[in-house]
Amino acid sequence: MDLNSTDSNFQDIHERQPLLKQRGIITMPYYMDYDSFKEVAWALDFWKFDSVLSGRPIIKFIGNGGNFSATTAIGELMRDYNAIGILAGGSYSGHTIAFMMCPERYVYDSAYFGIHSASIYPTDRPYTNADFRIEAETHDYLDNQVAQLFAKESQRNKFDAAYWKKIHEEARLSTKLISGLELVHQYGLAKSMLEFPQDELWRIGRGNDRI
């Protein structure tokens, strides 16, 4: 990949991702959209083809969600590059989905999820009955997709897709917060940072006595 592209937003990936070259860490952009997808793809390509480091890329998550299509595309990048996800702080909506698509996940005790039902951005034009029907069907489809992802990644059999869909539907008008401790101990969706591989701790800049 040509890292000297004329695209002004991505001329210097190392300025946008200062931990990439020396530590192989990518900080997920705060809002997920097409530009975020390009930035993460560029950073992962650098890690794969130009980095002198071995191992797997580490992705730190903290953010406010974004476009569902961009979110799932970024999530597929996590799978393609076998990324290690770290929930480093409050992460909402799409960030939780992309994090759940990381093949290996760790979470700080102070971090948390904010999940809610799928959102459809309103338009200025008047809604017809057909519009409302399509929006309802889209809501249902997206909620099903997310519920199946959470159920698949959960290590607790009692939290099936029906459970997660109910959780998301109940959060249609608000956001349900799930603490890092709950993600680890109640739902089994991630491991504690206390379990992070000892030989990789130098990459995240701290010892396990400071978690």
Side-chain angles (χ1 to χ4, degrees):
M1 177 168 286
D2 180 9
L3 296 178
N4 295 312
S5 167
T6 56
D7 187 336
S8 60
N9 288 325
F10 303 100
Q11 281 188 0
D12 191 353
I13 193 66
H14 303 298
E15 182 178 337
R16 299 179 67 87
Q17 296 289 345
L19 298 177
L20 174 62
K21 187 172 183 179
Q22 299 299 327
R23 296 180 183 268
I25 292 177
I26 298 168
T27 302
M28 188 62 63
Y30 190 76
Y31 183 80
M32 291 182 171
D33 56 12
Y34 179 59
D35 282 344
S36 302
F37 170 77
K38 289 196 296 181
E39 179 178 334
V40 173
W42 275 57
L44 287 168
D45 259 12
F46 173 85
W47 172 251
K48 182 175 182 179
F49 296 110
D50 294 280
S51 175
V52 297
L53 299 174
S54 60
R56 298 158 62 188
I58 294 174
I59 316 296
K60 285 197 170 186
F61 286 83
I62 176 171
N64 203 33
N67 178 280
F68 188 85
S69 296
T71 291
T72 52
I74 289 171
E76 292 298 346
L77 287 175
M78 302 298 98
R79 291 173 170 171
D80 289 344
Y81 287 84
N82 197 25
I84 299 172
I86 295 179
L87 194 67
S91 294
Y92 292 83
S93 189
H95 278 72
T96 69
I97 297 170
F99 175 75
M100 290 302 303
M101 294 176 75
C102 292
E104 189 172 348
R105 299 177 297 277
Y106 296 89
V107 58
Y108 287 99
D109 290 349
S110 59
Y112 57 89
F113 265 11
I115 63 175
H116 60 79
S117 179
S119 299
I120 308 296
Y121 292 102
T123 64
D124 293 332
R125 65 178 176 78
Y127 263 40
T128 66
N129 288 336
D131 290 328
F132 282 114
R133 185 183 69 253
I134 293 171
E135 181 172 315
E137 292 173 352
T138 302
H139 271 294
D140 191 59
Y141 172 79
L142 297 180
D143 282 345
N144 278 330
Q145 292 292 101
V146 175
Q148 290 171 19
L149 170 66
F150 274 62
K152 178 174 179 282
E153 297 301 328
S154 175
Q155 298 172 10
R156 312 286 190 265
N157 292 332
K158 62 182 178 180
F159 302 117
D160 58 10
Y163 172 87
W164 286 110
K165 185 174 182 184
K166 181 180 179 182
I167 291 293
H168 281 81
E169 288 178 341
E170 290 175 348
R172 185 173 294 278
L173 298 178
S174 61
T175 298
K176 177 178 175 59
L177 299 181
I178 303 177
S179 71
L181 290 173
E182 289 176 308
L183 289 171
V184 173
H185 299 293
Q186 181 175 345
Y187 296 112
L189 293 173
K191 297 178 181 178
S192 167
M193 283 299 297
L194 292 170
E195 300 180 69
F196 197 80
Q198 294 291 312
D199 60 347
E200 297 278 26
L201 281 174
W202 68 271
R203 292 176 61 190
I204 60 174
R206 60 174 61 191
N208 60 3
D209 59 330
R210 294 180 55 194
I211 293 171

